[in-house]
Amino acid sequence: MAEPIQIGILLYPNVTQLDATGPAQVLSRVPGAQMHMIWKTRDPVPTDAGFSIVPTTTFADCPQLDVVCVPGGGGQVAVMGDPEALDFLRKQAAKARYVTSVCTGSLILGAAGLLKGYKSACHWAWRDMLKDFGATPVAERVVRDRNRISGGGVTAGIDFGLTVAAELAGEEVAKSIQLVLEYDPQPPFDAGSPEKAGPERVKRIYERLAPLLESRCKANAEAAARLN
Amino acid sequence: MAEPIQIGILLYPNVTQLDATGPAQVLSRVPGAQMHMIWKTRDPVPTDAGFSIVPTTTFADCPQLDVVCVPGGGGQVAVMGDPEALDFLRKQAAKARYVTSVCTGSLILGAAGLLKGYKSACHWAWRDMLKDFGATPVAERVVRDRNRISGGGVTAGIDFGLTVAAELAGEEVAKSIQLVLEYDPQPPFDAGSPEKAGPERVKRIYERLAPLLESRCKANAEAAARLN
């Protein structure tokens, strides 16, 4: 019997849960996949959506992963300053086949020093912060640079998941998963990117983010300074 | 201060987690929303993707919901035969503003007698079973009939969520949520519906489902018989 494909998704308090659960849904359907949801302990981890997810393993117990995936979310700032989490990611990344992220998870990879000289996706509102870590932000849904594969904001995790599924098991398997998950998206509105939503709506989001943006920029610069 | 909008999503063992977590991501961003993940106890509920979600409330403790949402998944068959769960849904549905489902969650609503004479969506592979419950299956991404709103298979939960968000809070709010969740889908393949995937792929899925299909058809007919 073939070795299982070890796929691990980082959890942390205040993770944007769909950044994790979208890829988990797709990748758990890859034949031979063994899914891990990882945090420091197995205590339930509160997400941004009002409920908790139970980790399946811990930093200490997690096997070497073939795919390490880091989701984004408000808790990302704390993880960027957490040496234990960054150390776990560095150790896994050293031997993983794919080092991946969804949304602002790429900033965590950046803070772990894993994106220096790489192109990466990120959520549109935070994308430029990748530069602090020597990465090149790319405004695409899924970005690949050597063995780094990254998705854009939140829902991009599903497109990302299918891309990674095709890498792991071939296009035909990925297409079957797409069919079984009925991924034939038909958004009722067309406001899913800054370009499509238009400058007025983008401005309102930035106004809402303003109190966060300054502290996040500072945290990002500090994480980058620790790296050098 | 306005009353919160009570939004509840049913959990159960072997739920297809994205059926629940997709809508949860969208609806938790509706201003004033209070999200509930509901099952019999607060013990973690194992999902289809190898991890568990912790319910935030129980049948006994759940407040009257404005939106009751039932996701699908392999565990749906057991729930169709669970009088306690069906009773909870019937009681909630009697006073809820919206009675909703994603994927094969509509079969659970059917088994609770809540879709008789209604049009409904469902996952493409199981859609016809809605007829057992006097419902009319509709091959659309999101289907609305009076206060019933339903999404098709798995990933349709995101399109469904945005539709419900617009109902609850208006289109402008739904568009902001779409932008923040960067829901600008770009599937890497075009195989997300039976029509797009083509007959060969559909046939392979049905072959894979064959061992399940017979027992599920039987369970569905039995659930319908109990209703009458």
Side-chain angles (χ1 to χ4, degrees):
Chain A
M1 214 176 82
E3 290 283 306
I5 304 173
Q6 304 288 358
I7 301 174
I9 301 180
L10 188 74
L11 293 176
Y12 52 83
N14 202 18
V15 64
T16 295
Q17 59 86 18
L18 190 59
D19 291 12
T21 55
Q25 191 65 54
V26 177
L27 295 173
S28 66
R29 301 289 175 106
V30 170
Q34 192 164 345
M35 294 298 301
H36 306 276
M37 304 297 261
I38 316 156
W39 186 231
K40 297 181 182 190
T41 72
R42 289 176 192 241
D43 294 336
V45 175
T47 73
D48 72 321
F51 65 87
S52 295
I53 294 175
V54 189
T56 61
T57 190
T58 62
F59 293 165
D61 294 338
C62 186
Q64 173 62 48
L65 299 169
D66 296 297
V67 179
V68 54
C69 177
V70 183
Q76 158 255 323
V77 176
V79 180
M80 289 198 313
D82 186 325
E84 193 185 344
L86 300 182
D87 195 48
F88 170 77
L89 292 174
R90 276 189 287 259
K91 282 189 180 147
Q92 284 288 345
K95 294 188 180 172
R97 285 169 60 197
Y98 300 101
V99 178
T100 75
S101 61
V102 175
C103 198
T104 55
S106 56
L107 298 176
I108 296 176
L109 287 182
L114 294 167
L115 288 184
K116 200 170 176 179
Y118 285 88
K119 291 178 192 164
S120 180
C122 189
H123 187 289
W124 62 266
W126 316 98
R127 196 187 286 143
D128 270 358
M129 291 185 185
L130 281 167
K131 293 177 187 166
D132 287 350
F133 303 114
T136 305
V138 178
E140 284 172 17
R141 192 83 177 151
V142 180
V143 173
R144 179 166 184 175
D145 185 352
R146 285 156 282 172
N147 80 333
R148 269 55 167 176
I149 306 178
S150 51
V154 196
T155 53
I158 297 172
D159 300 319
F160 157 87
L162 287 169
T163 304
V164 174
E167 281 290 322
L168 294 171
E171 269 200 21
E172 197 47 49
V173 165
K175 286 176 180 173
S176 281
I177 294 173
Q178 183 180 9
L179 177 56
V180 168
L181 301 181
E182 209 171 326
Y183 187 46
D184 179 26
Q186 294 168 38
F189 312 108
D190 192 21
S193 71
E195 295 70 28
K196 291 175 178 173
E200 276 308 308
R201 288 196 187 96
V202 172
K203 190 169 156 243
R204 281 203 299 277
I205 303 288
Y206 272 122
E207 279 164 6
R208 217 165 73 195
L209 292 176
L212 269 179
L213 209 54
E214 194 179 344
S215 69
R216 285 227 195 167
C217 281
K218 192 162 164 272
N220 214 65
E222 284 167 1
R226 277 191 298 273
L227 206 55
N228 299 318
Chain B
M1 215 177 79
E3 290 282 307
I5 304 172
Q6 303 288 359
I7 300 174
I9 300 179
L10 188 73
L11 292 176
Y12 52 83
N14 202 17
V15 65
T16 296
Q17 58 87 17
L18 190 58
D19 289 12
T21 55
Q25 192 65 55
V26 176
L27 295 172
S28 66
R29 302 288 175 105
V30 171
Q34 192 164 345
M35 293 299 301
H36 305 277
M37 303 297 260
I38 316 156
W39 186 230
K40 297 180 183 190
T41 72
R42 290 175 192 243
D43 295 335
V45 175
T47 73
D48 73 321
F51 64 87
S52 296
I53 294 175
V54 189
T56 62
T57 190
T58 63
F59 292 166
D61 293 340
C62 186
Q64 174 60 49
L65 300 169
D66 296 297
V67 179
V68 54
C69 177
V70 182
Q76 158 254 320
V77 176
V79 180
M80 288 198 312
D82 185 326
E84 193 186 344
L86 300 182
D87 195 49
F88 170 77
L89 292 173
R90 276 189 287 260
K91 282 188 180 147
Q92 284 288 344
K95 295 188 178 171
R97 285 169 62 196
Y98 300 101
V99 178
T100 74
S101 62
V102 175
C103 198
T104 55
S106 56
L107 298 176
I108 296 176
L109 287 182
L114 294 167
L115 288 185
K116 200 171 176 179
Y118 284 89
K119 291 178 193 163
S120 180
C122 188
H123 187 288
W124 62 266
W126 316 98
R127 197 187 284 141
D128 271 358
M129 292 186 185
L130 281 167
K131 293 176 187 167
D132 287 350
F133 304 113
T136 304
V138 178
E140 283 173 15
R141 192 83 178 152
V142 181
V143 173
R144 179 168 185 174
D145 185 352
R146 287 156 282 172
N147 80 334
R148 267 57 165 174
I149 306 178
S150 50
V154 196
T155 53
I158 297 172
D159 300 319
F160 157 88
L162 287 169
T163 303
V164 174
E167 281 290 322
L168 295 170
E171 269 199 21
E172 197 47 48
V173 166
K175 286 176 181 173
S176 282
I177 294 172
Q178 182 180 10
L179 177 56
V180 168
L181 300 181
E182 210 171 326
Y183 188 45
D184 179 25
Q186 294 168 39
F189 313 107
D190 192 20
S193 71
E195 295 71 29
K196 291 175 178 172
E200 276 307 309
R201 287 195 188 98
V202 171
K203 190 168 157 245
R204 280 203 299 278
I205 303 288
Y206 272 122
E207 280 164 6
R208 217 166 73 196
L209 292 176
L212 268 179
L213 210 54
E214 194 180 344
S215 69
R216 285 226 196 168
C217 280
K218 190 160 165 273
N220 214 64
E222 284 167 2
R226 278 191 298 273
L227 206 55
N228 298 318

